[in-house]
Amino acid sequence: CTAVATPAGCPIVAIETFVAKPAQPNASNVHGTNVAAIAVGSAPDAGVAVLDVFSDAGALSSDVIAAINWSIANRAGLNIVAINLSLGDASHHVSQCGASVFASPVTNARTAGLHVAAAAGNRAYESGVFTAGVSDPACVPGALSVGAVYDSNIGGVAWSVCTDSTSAADKVACFSNTASYLGLLAPGAVVTAGGATLGGTSQATPHVSGALAVLRAAFPNETLATIEARLGANGTPVTDPRNGQVNPRLNLRAAARPVNDDFDSAIVVAGSSGSTTGDNRLATHETGEPQPAAAATQSVWWRWTAPAAGQVSLDTLGSGFDTRLDVYTGSAVGALAVVAGNDNADGASLGSALRFQAVAGTSYRWAIDSSDGGAGSTTLQWSLNTNAQAN
């Protein structure tokens, strides 16, 4: 990229500088380029607003706050959903720092609908001694603090504050700051992006910022807290040997699963007739789950209780892929009884349609899956005819 949206396809949507710059920028300052490229790697369809707050001597809090406020002011026009703060000071906060100068700006950003992901810091060792606590502004309430892990075995690595004699996937990097309230871990040792190879919690954080953008696009009606809880609940547990603490490592694929992927998370619908929409992309199959077709491995679930006895017409017409529709009774995924099932409603449709006889007060589980391995948007319609008998 040489300028905003230049050349065509460049993901940069804005460039703002909050500090005075020399006529010839320092070509060795590739940190921001590396960070932005990591975010785009996590969210390839997202745009990036580049907000430069650094001089060669560092960044002033006032300039960082000005950039946060700029993000808030321009959130609607540029569809900004997450702020990435790959920066911090040398402090160690074992509890959250509500008195920080960043506390109000972060709160204002969240109120405006913006996630704030912040690097936990790279000074876990001071004079050779492990020191708990994350840096400011990662310590601020509302900021999602991010620590760093290796993503593979790259051998022993000497960092400025410590040395890892060995490395392995999901091993916490020795430099990575931590605290009891650390939000997430993500790959940060080391990452090649934007023409540079760097390591640090700065590199871990944009993985999370990009993931937040992906989830906001996938689940536009969910709150910030719900989106962030998705990341935490679906993260891969990693134990930090320095203090025995277990933190979730970013697992975007798991976090992006549909809300009704699991049998126990079936969406409850009600009424004698109705329709609902959804998506089965990134859905999975649980252990013991019925597999009505060989390619059926991405099921999503609904639960409906019959308000009266009669014939139920159920279909997936209008869905975006070749669906498989099945109806079950039972309260556990491994102990279900088949009521009805269908692949194609007719020779001209990839949608499914069936009828079954409902018993008043009985709960039925409806599953939509793929008949050919595809995935996409789902549409489900139902109607109950109390004067008809299903054949």
Side-chain angles (χ1 to χ4, degrees):
C1 298
T2 57
V4 172
T6 305
C10 170
I12 304 302
V13 298
I15 299 173
E16 294 291 332
T17 301
F18 294 83
V19 293
K21 292 292 183 180
Q24 295 296 323
N26 187 338
S28 66
N29 287 347
V30 295
H31 179 273
T33 302
N34 176 261
V35 167
I38 294 170
V40 172
S42 289
D45 289 340
V48 176
V50 178
L51 310 182
D52 192 349
V53 298
F54 277 88
S55 68
D56 286 343
L60 296 176
S61 298
S62 57
D63 292 329
V64 177
I65 292 171
I68 294 174
N69 292 337
W70 184 96
S71 301
I72 296 170
N74 289 275
R75 68 192 185 283
L78 295 176
N79 190 27
I80 300 174
V81 297
I83 298 173
N84 184 89
L85 297 177
S86 285
L87 49 83
D89 61 13
S91 62
H92 294 79
H93 296 269
V94 294
S95 58
Q96 291 187 300
C97 50
S100 165
V101 296
F102 295 104
S104 291
V106 168
T107 297
N108 293 340
R110 291 186 66 85
T111 301
L114 306 182
H115 301 275
V116 179
N122 303 329
R123 299 183 62 87
Y125 281 83
E126 293 287 358
S127 300
V129 178
F130 172 68
T131 305
V134 304
S135 65
D136 193 4
C139 61
V140 170
L144 185 59
S145 53
V146 185
V149 297
Y150 290 92
D151 76 336
S152 62
N153 180 1
I154 60 173
V157 184
W159 303 97
S160 62
V161 298
C162 59
T163 297
D164 282 316
S165 58
T166 62
S167 58
D170 282 345
K171 179 179 179 178
V172 178
C174 67
F175 61 76
S176 182
N177 287 22
T178 188
S180 60
Y181 57 92
L182 184 73
L184 285 171
L185 295 167
V190 292
V191 184
T192 299
T197 299
L198 299 174
T201 55
S202 282
Q203 282 58 52
T205 305
H207 283 95
V208 174
S209 301
L212 290 168
V214 170
L215 294 178
R216 284 288 290 275
F219 306 101
N221 297 321
E222 291 189 351
T223 65
L224 271 68
T226 300
I227 291 288
E228 291 167 7
R230 274 182 171 273
L231 288 177
N234 291 283
T236 301
V238 171
T239 300
D240 189 336
R242 301 171 302 178
N243 58 4
Q245 183 170 309
V246 179
N247 291 106
R249 189 261 295 147
L250 174 67
N251 186 334
L252 178 55
R253 181 179 180 86
R257 295 187 306 151
V259 293
N260 56 337
D261 181 19
D262 293 338
F263 176 85
D264 288 338
S265 301
I267 294 175
V268 176
V269 293
S272 295
S273 63
S275 63
T276 185
T277 58
D279 201 296
N280 79 323
R281 280 174 282 217
L282 298 183
T284 60
H285 256 218
E286 303 169 76
T287 302
E289 181 177 335
Q291 188 170 3
T297 58
Q298 300 181 74
S299 59
V300 285
W301 293 86
W302 286 263
R303 179 163 62 89
W304 176 80
T305 300
Q311 172 188 280
V312 178
S313 297
L314 189 66
D315 72 70
T316 65
L317 303 180
S319 296
F321 61 102
D322 191 351
T323 62
R324 168 76 197 197
L325 175 63
D326 290 277
V327 177
Y328 303 95
T329 56
S331 57
V333 71
L336 297 177
V338 178
V339 175
N342 178 255
D343 183 0
N344 295 327
D346 54 53
S349 174
L350 297 180
S352 309
L354 55 79
R355 291 174 179 167
F356 69 94
Q357 187 66 22
V359 177
T362 298
S363 288
Y364 295 90
R365 302 285 183 151
W366 300 339
I368 297 180
D369 210 325
S370 171
S371 64
D372 63 359
S377 60
T378 60
T379 301
L380 183 65
Q381 293 86 208
W382 72 93
S383 62
L384 170 66
N385 185 345
T386 57
N387 297 316
Q389 178 78 23
N391 184 342

